[in-house]
Amino acid sequence: MVLSGVLVAIACVQHLHDTQTHLPFAIEVIGFADEEGVRYQSTYLGSKALAGTFNEEDLKRTDAKGIPMADAIRGFGGDLEAIANARLDPKRLLGYAEVHIEQGPVLEEKNLAVGVVTAIAGQSRMKVTFTGRAGHAGTTPMNMRRDALCAAAEFLLDAELLAKNQDGLVATVGEITALPGASNVIAGEVRLSLDLRHADDRVRQAAVAELENRAAAVAAERNVSLQWQHVHQSAAVTCDPQLSAMLSDAVKRRQQEVVSLPSGAGHDAAAMAAITPVTMLFVRCKGGISHHPDESAALEDVRVAIEVMNEFINLLVGAGSP
Amino acid sequence: MVLSGVLVAIACVQHLHDTQTHLPFAIEVIGFADEEGVRYQSTYLGSKALAGTFNEEDLKRTDAKGIPMADAIRGFGGDLEAIANARLDPKRLLGYAEVHIEQGPVLEEKNLAVGVVTAIAGQSRMKVTFTGRAGHAGTTPMNMRRDALCAAAEFLLDAELLAKNQDGLVATVGEITALPGASNVIAGEVRLSLDLRHADDRVRQAAVAELENRAAAVAAERNVSLQWQHVHQSAAVTCDPQLSAMLSDAVKRRQQEVVSLPSGAGHDAAAMAAITPVTMLFVRCKGGISHHPDESAALEDVRVAIEVMNEFINLLVGAGSP
């Protein structure tokens, strides 16, 4: 999905070339590395370097195979010394615009090619561990068990229920490991990931607190212990009202309705917002599916995105910026 | 735990030597290979060979690394050709006696060193797979999810509840895998093991049927699909009333109370019952814990077990067998 966003930007520059348009400001096209952060549980690696918010401590983080991030970057041909120098000077920036597939179902439901992002949801990622007691699956009576997997199951259904009852909140347990992990042994320890997101930080933080309480209550009821570890947290980021109004104008010229919607996913725009105003355009995607082989956006919709961004550049020029 | 059972048998033979006792029948001490069957999801490998119920097809089963059982046996120095010849002649057998730690909490609760096993519970092992749809953890609204892990969680709590409400039934989910298994992706597929045991085969089979229905209902409610696969099934085995009465007499001479109890775990005695009457003595273990580093039996209790088995042999001789 990052790919189509980068290609739209390149197409816009191509259009400027083709029409021999000279702008009063420079355009830079950026393809950021490792926005997702799955390998090191650390997001926005590339954009944080440009925003000057890259944490050098993160270089020591290790992946599942024990490889430190520093080694992974070097192995990829990267230069660790260059990270500190990558920071952009905020005074020289007009703003940051990003095009991304929606990764959700809203635009498809409304039958619209593109939409304007209002805010990027804040995220909390936790590692939750329930520790009970392993035991023989055949000989330990049900009432004497301290089954860590049953505790985890109860907790993750609580997280689902809480999110279902809170508008705009999403809660996901995507990783789970039961130890020792044999069919004839009661799980003595279960580790799971918990991902919570909302466009309003207070709502998200209240949900984190509520679920930590729930996890503690489940653990206490089942006589298992709980470890609750905050892995990652990012505040919600609001898109710049002026840039977004201009982007909405550009959309209006291509499509009857302008839909503004929050982004449940994190984006490099969230990191770039630390040093410059940001705006984002969403492109409809098939079935709202992403992070999956079925992820897909229609060529026609990408064409609309290119035209909207061309128009956005025109409006920027017309507004006399900078 | 198999170890202490084998050592008790060796100690009994040692006692016969020490007392220069000559029996009217032979005693064979057997240490069976791979009773548990964790590696190949196939139990009683050694005892099945002696009972003549070893299934040659099992040699083709592969472990998690893709190594066939035949290769594993050869690598261990085993001779595949010898398996078929290992079968014992039932006509030449008086019976089979096994000593094992209880692996459960009953004897400890009653403060008794040993107990007599009435029956070995039947087992059903299933592989259960829920397939929903993977999706982005941030952008897929809760009401549009088809989360395979939430379905699995609901199901495994149903299994726990059913077993809690049925005397003597145990249900265990010890293995669980969520795919693709990333913190920011909704689980599209979850595979879990289900282990059900009861001393009465009808109760167990009714529970299997009930849980398959529950799994189907959970899957239907959540718009995910279900795959229900029977991996292993073994019928309950009743210990021989005559041998067990004799074993109870032997226990009576060492301990005030004789407790008879079913075994929730499978034992090689279950395989041996195919060709000869079987009896089993349970030894108290610490906290009922087994299949865990904390597994432990007191030396004094093992001493009681040795004395009981010595007495059992005396009673067999006195009964004029064979």
Side-chain angles (χ1 to χ4, degrees):
Chain A
M1 59 251 155
V2 171
L3 195 60
S4 75
V6 174
L7 291 177
V8 166
I10 291 171
C12 289
V13 173
Q14 179 70 48
H15 178 75
L16 294 169
H17 274 280
D18 292 348
T19 54
Q20 300 196 342
T21 309
H22 295 276
L23 303 177
F25 49 81
I27 289 188
E28 289 184 7
V29 176
I30 316 177
F32 287 118
D34 198 25
E35 180 233 272
E36 299 292 348
V38 172
R39 183 167 173 188
Y40 289 100
Q41 293 287 311
S42 163
T43 55
Y44 312 140
L45 275 189
S47 46
K48 276 180 174 168
L50 266 66
T53 56
F54 182 84
N55 185 350
E56 301 256 329
E57 284 298 304
D58 283 349
L59 291 168
K60 295 174 189 164
R61 290 193 186 217
T62 51
D63 68 5
K65 289 178 181 163
I67 299 167
M69 187 194 291
D71 291 2
I73 291 174
R74 277 194 213 98
F76 201 68
D79 176 3
L80 298 181
E81 309 294 322
I83 296 174
N85 302 325
R87 185 172 199 271
L88 296 175
D89 179 2
K91 289 181 210 133
R92 301 190 57 230
L93 297 175
L94 232 183
Y96 170 87
E98 183 170 344
V99 178
H100 206 287
I101 62 162
E102 182 197 340
Q103 306 178 274
V106 178
L107 293 173
E108 189 173 60
E109 269 190 7
K110 293 186 181 287
N111 197 25
L112 295 171
V114 297
V116 176
V117 178
T118 54
I120 295 162
Q123 303 182 23
S124 294
R125 284 191 201 171
M126 274 71 62
K127 252 189 202 171
V128 185
T129 305
F130 292 97
T131 306
R133 193 173 59 193
H136 193 290
T139 58
T140 315
M142 298 306 291
N143 62 1
M144 292 189 65
R145 296 184 174 207
R146 295 166 56 200
D147 188 323
L149 184 54
C150 288
E154 214 174 304
F155 168 69
L156 76 86
L157 290 172
D158 281 347
E160 183 194 35
L161 189 66
L162 181 78
K164 276 186 171 172
N165 291 334
Q166 173 72 55
D167 196 36
L169 183 69
V170 283
T172 307
V173 175
E175 285 181 313
I176 189 164
T177 307
L179 300 173
S183 63
N184 61 341
V185 185
I186 297 160
E189 181 176 316
V190 172
R191 302 171 195 158
L192 53 87
S193 64
L194 175 64
D195 180 311
L196 281 176
R197 312 197 195 191
H198 197 275
D200 183 333
D201 288 338
R202 289 161 307 178
V203 173
R204 175 175 50 85
Q205 279 152 3
V208 170
E210 168 69 17
L211 284 178
E212 186 172 0
N213 286 340
R214 278 301 305 151
V218 166
E221 279 162 35
R222 289 181 171 274
N223 192 23
V224 305
S225 66
L226 168 72
Q227 208 193 326
W228 183 272
Q229 194 188 340
H230 292 268
V231 176
H232 168 80
Q233 176 163 289
S234 62
V237 168
T238 307
C239 289
D240 181 67
Q242 278 184 287
L243 287 180
S244 294
M246 224 176 280
L247 187 59
S248 295
D249 280 349
V251 170
K252 217 172 284 172
R253 297 178 190 202
R254 279 290 307 152
Q255 139 185 320
Q256 278 206 314
E257 193 186 349
V258 180
V259 167
S260 296
L261 69 174
S263 170
H267 296 289
D268 287 306
M272 295 303 289
I275 52 166
T276 193
V278 304
T279 190
M280 275 193 80
L281 185 73
F282 265 170
V283 181
R284 164 169 56 188
C285 65
K286 195 177 164 192
I289 298 167
S290 86
H291 290 186
H292 189 275
D294 292 343
E295 178 175 308
S296 166
L299 192 61
E300 183 50 41
D301 291 349
V302 176
R303 191 192 314 273
V304 172
I306 293 168
E307 290 170 3
V308 165
M309 294 313 286
N310 284 339
E311 188 59 35
F312 175 66
I313 293 165
N314 282 341
L315 292 172
L316 272 175
V317 173
S321 307
Chain B
M1 58 251 153
V2 171
L3 196 60
S4 75
V6 173
L7 291 178
V8 166
I10 291 170
C12 289
V13 172
Q14 179 71 49
H15 179 74
L16 293 171
H17 275 282
D18 292 348
T19 55
Q20 299 196 341
T21 309
H22 295 276
L23 302 177
F25 49 82
I27 289 187
E28 289 184 6
V29 177
I30 316 178
F32 287 118
D34 199 25
E35 180 234 273
E36 299 293 348
V38 172
R39 183 168 173 190
Y40 289 100
Q41 293 288 312
S42 162
T43 55
Y44 312 140
L45 275 190
S47 45
K48 276 180 175 168
L50 266 66
T53 56
F54 182 83
N55 184 350
E56 301 256 326
E57 284 298 303
D58 284 350
L59 292 168
K60 295 174 188 164
R61 291 192 185 219
T62 52
D63 68 6
K65 290 178 181 164
I67 299 169
M69 187 194 289
D71 291 3
I73 291 175
R74 276 195 213 97
F76 201 68
D79 176 3
L80 298 181
E81 308 295 321
I83 296 174
N85 301 325
R87 185 172 199 268
L88 296 175
D89 179 1
K91 288 182 210 136
R92 299 191 58 230
L93 297 175
L94 233 184
Y96 170 88
E98 183 170 345
V99 178
H100 206 287
I101 62 162
E102 182 197 341
Q103 305 179 276
V106 178
L107 293 173
E108 190 173 59
E109 270 191 7
K110 293 186 182 286
N111 196 25
L112 296 171
V114 296
V116 176
V117 178
T118 54
I120 295 161
Q123 301 182 23
S124 294
R125 284 192 201 169
M126 273 73 61
K127 254 189 200 169
V128 185
T129 306
F130 291 98
T131 307
R133 194 172 59 193
H136 193 290
T139 58
T140 314
M142 297 308 289
N143 62 1
M144 293 189 64
R145 295 183 175 208
R146 294 166 56 199
D147 188 323
L149 185 54
C150 288
E154 213 175 305
F155 168 70
L156 76 87
L157 291 172
D158 281 347
E160 184 195 34
L161 190 65
L162 182 77
K164 277 185 170 170
N165 290 334
Q166 172 73 55
D167 196 37
L169 183 69
V170 284
T172 308
V173 175
E175 285 180 312
I176 189 164
T177 308
L179 301 172
S183 63
N184 61 342
V185 184
I186 298 160
E189 181 176 316
V190 172
R191 301 171 195 158
L192 54 86
S193 64
L194 174 64
D195 180 311
L196 282 175
R197 310 196 195 191
H198 197 276
D200 183 334
D201 288 338
R202 289 161 306 178
V203 173
R204 174 176 50 86
Q205 280 153 2
V208 170
E210 168 69 16
L211 285 177
E212 186 172 1
N213 285 341
R214 279 300 307 150
V218 166
E221 278 162 35
R222 288 180 171 274
N223 193 21
V224 305
S225 66
L226 169 71
Q227 207 192 327
W228 183 273
Q229 192 187 341
H230 291 269
V231 176
H232 168 80
Q233 176 163 291
S234 61
V237 168
T238 307
C239 290
D240 181 66
Q242 277 184 288
L243 287 180
S244 295
M246 225 175 277
L247 187 59
S248 295
D249 280 350
V251 171
K252 217 171 284 172
R253 297 176 189 203
R254 278 290 308 153
Q255 150 183 311
Q256 278 205 315
E257 193 186 347
V258 180
V259 166
S260 296
L261 70 172
S263 170
H267 296 290
D268 288 305
M272 294 304 287
I275 51 166
T276 193
V278 303
T279 190
M280 276 194 78
L281 184 74
F282 265 171
V283 180
R284 165 169 56 189
C285 65
K286 196 177 163 191
I289 297 168
S290 85
H291 290 188
H292 190 275
D294 293 343
E295 178 175 308
S296 165
L299 192 60
E300 183 50 42
D301 291 350
V302 176
R303 191 192 313 274
V304 171
I306 293 168
E307 289 170 2
V308 165
M309 294 313 285
N310 284 339
E311 188 58 34
F312 174 66
I313 292 166
N314 283 340
L315 292 173
L316 271 176
V317 172
S321 306

